[in-house]
Amino acid sequence: MTATESTASDERRTNEIDRAVMFSYQYVPGGRFTIEDVLEWQPRSLEGAYRTYTITYENAPSYRAYLFVDVDDDRESETGGPESGTTLTTGRITGSPPETNRSYVTVDLEKPAMG
């Protein structure tokens, strides 16, 4: 890996979220979604400090889902996190927060391919 590749990779990590928690029933594999709003709410069953976003899936724009970003993992916490209108895609499930009894899943988030 070259210094340029490393710098680009480090820059991506500091400017974007790359993992979040969702209700398992709201997860759509490979679902392209847009961040709508930030909420001042977090479910009691989700331990730790999370920032809550409402999202809409591209293929079901009237359906709202929740995306929970760990504040410690939120690379943009100094600027308030991802902005409304940011488009991302759900990646693979990487587990479930241990305290949630599988009602939540941790998912990778990816920038959608242009085209």
Side-chain angles (χ1 to χ4, degrees):
M1 181 180 334
T2 68
T4 305
E5 289 175 45
S6 177
T7 302
S9 178
D10 292 342
E11 192 173 298
R12 188 192 74 75
R13 276 191 229 112
T14 59
N15 291 329
E16 300 172 6
I17 57 172
D18 56 7
R19 182 167 290 150
V21 174
M22 302 180 76
F23 287 111
S24 58
Y25 67 90
Q26 293 181 337
Y27 169 72
V28 175
R32 184 176 171 143
F33 66 88
T34 301
I35 293 177
E36 294 293 314
D37 296 306
V38 178
L39 300 179
E40 295 292 327
W41 171 78
Q42 177 181 323
R44 288 185 208 155
S45 58
L46 194 57
E47 293 181 11
Y50 288 86
R51 181 172 288 124
T52 304
Y53 298 91
T54 58
I55 65 170
T56 57
Y57 283 106
E58 187 175 86
N59 62 347
S62 62
Y63 178 68
R64 300 291 186 268
Y66 297 110
L67 186 73
F68 306 101
V69 178
D70 187 331
V71 173
D72 292 335
D73 287 344
D74 186 349
R75 306 301 198 279
E76 296 185 25
S77 59
E78 294 174 9
T79 61
E83 297 177 7
S84 292
T86 300
T87 300
L88 297 168
T89 302
T90 55
R92 66 187 178 93
I93 293 176
T94 58
S96 185
E99 74 278 1
T100 64
N101 209 15
R102 295 190 181 170
S103 56
Y104 297 86
V105 291
T106 302
V107 298
D108 288 338
L109 301 176
E110 304 163 358
K111 280 256 187 203
M114 300 303 242

